[in-house]
Amino acid sequence: MILELDCGNSFIKWRVLHADAARLVAEGVVDSDLVLLESLHGCDGLNLKYCRLVSVRTNEETAALVSLLVDAFGVTVSCAAPAREMSGVHNGYEDYQRLGLDRWLAMLGAFHLASGACLVLDFGTALTADFIAADGEHLGGFICPGMPLMRNQLRTHTRRIRYDDLAASRALESFEPGRNTVEAVERGCSLMLRGFVLTQLELARSYWGQEFSVFLTGGDAGLVSGIVPEARVVPDLVFVGLAMACPLS
C-alpha cells in the first residue's frame, strides 16, 4: 500500500492507496503528526510499503514526520523536491526553489490533466493563482489570504467579532448584506474571494482568449465553484502532481 501526504501550514491531508495506485483505501485530514499516526493505525488491514509526501513545513518539521513514519511502519519515504522543469512544465519563479511545493505539484497535475493552458486556483489557508501557458511555461501567480486567514485576522484584531464555525457556515447560505456581525464578516470575505477569482479569469482571457482550462482545488473551492461553472474541481490535484514528482518505479 502507498501512503500519500500533503503537509500544509495548518493541516495534513492523507490518503492510502492500494499498491496499484488505482484504488483508494482510506483518506482524511488531521492537524498534527500524532493524530496522523493514530488515524493510520486505525485503518483495518493497513500494510504500508511506500510513502510519498509534499511538505511546505520547515526541513526540521518534515524530517521529524518522516522519522515517525519510518519508525512506525518501516516505509520507504520519497519527498517532493523543487525543480526548474518537470513533465513539460517550466517553473516561472526567478528562484525556482522559492515556489511553494504544493503550488508546483498542483501545476504539474493541472497541466497533465488539461494538456494545454490552464489557470490553477487553490483555496487553502492562503489563496493562490497560477498561470501555465500551452507550452508549459509558468507565467507566475498571485497569493492572498484565504478564508481562514481573513476570518482569523478579523476575529483576532477586532474585539467584538466572536462566533463559531457553525455560525460561519450558516452565514454563507445567502449573499444579501449581513444583518449581524457573522453574516457581514463571512459574506464580505467570501465576496473578496469571488472578486479575486473573477480578476484571475479576466487576466487568463487576456492571455489565451477562451482556450484555457480552470482548476479549483483546496478546502474552500466550493465557495466559488458557482461563479466558474466551466471549472474542474479537483480536490486531490496536489496528489496528481505528487505521483508525477515521486514515481514509485
Side-chain angles (χ1 to χ4, degrees):
M1 292 179 179
I2 306 164
L3 172 63
E4 295 185 328
L5 301 175
D6 177 5
C7 306
N9 293 301
S10 303
F11 299 99
I12 300 174
K13 186 175 183 179
W14 64 273
R15 69 179 188 178
V16 175
L17 305 176
H18 277 282
D20 59 8
R23 290 178 293 158
L24 181 68
V25 176
E27 62 182 343
V29 179
V30 296
D31 60 4
S32 73
D33 297 356
L34 293 180
V35 176
L36 171 64
L37 292 185
E38 291 174 2
S39 299
L40 292 172
H41 282 304
C43 295
D44 293 334
L46 190 69
N47 183 24
L48 295 177
K49 297 297 183 183
Y50 304 100
C51 171
R52 53 192 174 203
L53 67 84
V54 55
S55 175
V56 298
R57 301 180 173 192
T58 65
N59 292 336
E60 292 75 17
E61 290 173 322
T62 302
L65 174 57
V66 169
S67 179
L68 282 175
L69 293 171
V70 171
D71 290 344
F73 303 105
V75 290
T76 299
V77 181
S78 177
C79 299
R84 171 61 70 189
E85 187 170 1
M86 182 178 290
S87 301
V89 181
H90 187 272
N91 192 318
Y93 260 30
E94 295 174 353
D95 179 356
Y96 73 91
Q97 298 188 71
R98 301 292 294 177
L99 177 67
L101 278 171
D102 51 348
R103 287 173 63 194
W104 174 239
L105 296 185
M107 287 192 290
L108 294 181
F111 188 73
H112 171 73
L113 295 175
S115 299
C118 51
L119 167 63
V120 183
L121 298 167
D122 191 342
F123 300 83
T125 303
L127 168 55
T128 63
D130 284 289
F131 299 78
I132 305 96
D135 62 0
E137 184 70 26
H138 173 221
L139 304 182
F142 299 96
I143 305 174
C144 72
M147 280 292 285
L149 280 179
M150 287 193 285
R151 179 187 295 125
N152 290 338
Q153 282 294 304
L154 286 168
R155 284 176 173 175
T156 301
H157 296 287
T158 307
R159 291 183 179 179
R160 295 194 177 187
I161 295 181
R162 296 289 185 272
Y163 55 86
D164 58 25
D165 291 338
L166 178 59
S169 177
R170 289 175 175 170
L172 291 173
E173 294 174 355
S174 166
F175 283 101
E176 295 180 356
R179 300 293 296 272
N180 54 54
T181 300
V182 61
E183 291 178 354
V185 169
E186 290 296 315
R187 294 173 188 177
C189 291
S190 183
L191 288 173
M192 289 186 71
L193 253 64
R194 289 174 169 230
F196 179 88
V197 169
L198 293 174
T199 301
Q200 306 313 301
L201 291 171
E202 289 179 6
L203 184 55
R205 293 187 187 108
S206 75
Y207 289 146
W208 307 309
Q210 299 298 324
E211 299 301 317
F212 66 96
S213 300
V214 182
F215 290 88
L216 307 180
T217 191
D220 286 323
L223 295 178
V224 301
S225 58
I227 64 170
V228 198
E230 71 276 17
R232 296 175 64 175
V233 180
V234 186
D236 294 328
L237 190 57
V238 169
F239 285 144
V240 176
L242 179 61
M244 299 165 66
C246 300
L248 298 178
S249 59

